[in-house]
Amino acid sequence: MNARAALFDLYGDHLRIRSGRASVAALVRLLAPLDIAAPAVRTAISRMVRQDWLTPVRLAQGPGYALTPKCLRRLDEAASRIYRTGSAVWPGRWHVLVFQPVRDRARRERLRADLAFLGYAPLCETTWVGPRASPELDALLEEQRVRADHFVSTLDGDPRELVARAWDLGAIARAYEEWMGQAADLVGAVSCDAPDDQIFAARSRLVHGWRNFLFRDPGLPAELLPPAWPGDKARAYFEQEAARLLPAAAAFVDRNLDKGVH
């Protein structure tokens, strides 16, 4: 994983519940087990500051960085999907977005990636649909300077047909099966008595791989998924292994955070 992705994972998985701030020196120490060098960490931090994900703060230990409100929203939204802290009840209605075409290619691609992360898929260039409204949506559209009309609608037809047009469930299922094999190899390579920095690295890679599904899987309700959906087995495995590895990983984080940061 690259330094920017590792920082998002670190803040979301560990620092969000530990005040959401850390010194630069602590961030460098915490990413070292992932083979991310200090210059790459500092470059990624600068980029995240420019993008309003992090903000500089002065800590007793020296220069540091804290989460911005924008980043807090993104991490909380991600956590609710990664760890299923949100409601799983689907009322049978779709959230539909209709907006004017975005002419600039870079802006259009960025908007598409952000909407996919929030669980939406295109029915055509200007109409997107998701199984639920994202709490991040309004802030995203304002930041991207895109005006959209919102509708909460029921479908007159078979929702499975809509799902098949909007999302490639076959590709998502294959990705879950591939991830399961990779995750088993990753976790199996770490013994139960391994040093906590190795366990932290393994768990970080496990979480990072799972977090990538937020860009592919919108979290469709069970009634719209095929039987024996591999995402269910993959989620159970992730939750089991992430919880098992957490104590040692958290101990590594606590040991390497600057004293007084908590």
Side-chain angles (χ1 to χ4, degrees):
M1 70 184 81
N2 62 45
R4 182 174 177 273
L7 282 166
F8 269 113
D9 292 344
L10 177 64
Y11 272 95
D13 210 33
H14 295 286
L15 303 184
R16 173 72 177 91
I17 60 173
R18 291 172 171 84
S19 83
R21 56 181 61 196
S23 71
V24 176
L27 294 173
V28 169
R29 288 195 299 270
L30 288 167
L31 296 191
L34 297 170
D35 299 320
I36 298 175
V41 175
R42 293 189 175 94
T43 299
I45 289 171
S46 296
R47 183 182 177 194
M48 292 174 72
V49 169
R50 290 195 302 271
Q51 296 171 337
D52 193 33
W53 298 113
L54 295 177
T55 187
V57 291
R58 289 295 305 180
L59 302 173
Q61 300 75 25
Y65 291 87
L67 298 168
T68 63
K70 169 185 170 180
C71 198
L72 284 169
R73 288 192 300 269
R74 169 58 57 90
L75 294 179
D76 289 349
E77 164 82 356
S80 72
R81 292 167 62 190
I82 292 170
Y83 298 106
R84 292 197 298 194
T85 58
S87 172
V89 176
W90 186 59
R93 295 188 295 274
W94 298 91
H95 194 225
V96 182
L97 311 176
V98 180
F99 49 83
Q100 293 297 315
V102 177
R103 303 300 181 187
D104 180 75
R105 181 176 179 179
R107 284 184 61 213
R108 184 169 65 249
E109 292 304 313
R110 187 164 60 251
L111 178 63
R112 288 178 66 90
D114 285 338
L115 288 173
F117 180 85
L118 298 185
Y120 294 91
L123 296 180
C124 64
E125 182 183 355
T126 59
T127 304
W128 288 64
V129 62
R132 63 190 61 82
S134 168
E136 277 197 80
L137 180 65
D138 288 340
L140 167 65
L141 296 177
E142 181 179 355
E143 179 185 355
Q144 298 278 8
R145 301 188 306 278
V146 174
R147 182 183 178 278
D149 294 313
H150 303 208
F151 302 89
V152 177
S153 306
T154 56
L155 177 69
D156 184 11
D158 184 355
R160 290 178 179 81
E161 189 276 333
L162 176 69
V163 167
R165 281 196 291 129
W167 291 277
D168 187 345
L169 293 187
I172 297 172
R174 290 190 295 273
Y176 274 124
E177 292 166 350
E178 182 179 351
W179 177 85
M180 280 283 292
Q182 295 171 347
D185 290 342
L186 172 67
V187 171
V190 181
S191 64
C192 59
D193 58 350
D196 60 8
D197 63 328
Q198 293 182 20
I199 295 177
F200 167 83
R203 187 179 186 278
S204 296
R205 293 187 172 102
L206 181 77
V207 171
H208 179 73
W210 185 255
R211 191 185 298 267
N212 283 339
F213 280 104
L214 298 184
F215 291 93
R216 307 188 65 170
D217 186 343
L220 293 166
E223 57 265 39
L224 300 184
L225 294 171
W229 176 242
D232 295 335
K233 183 178 179 180
R235 175 174 289 282
Y237 183 81
F238 166 76
E239 292 177 346
Q240 169 189 298
E241 295 304 311
R244 184 177 67 84
L245 298 174
L246 179 58
F252 174 79
V253 172
D254 290 335
R255 179 161 54 82
N256 283 278
L257 274 177
D258 296 314
K259 184 178 180 182
V261 168
H262 299 266

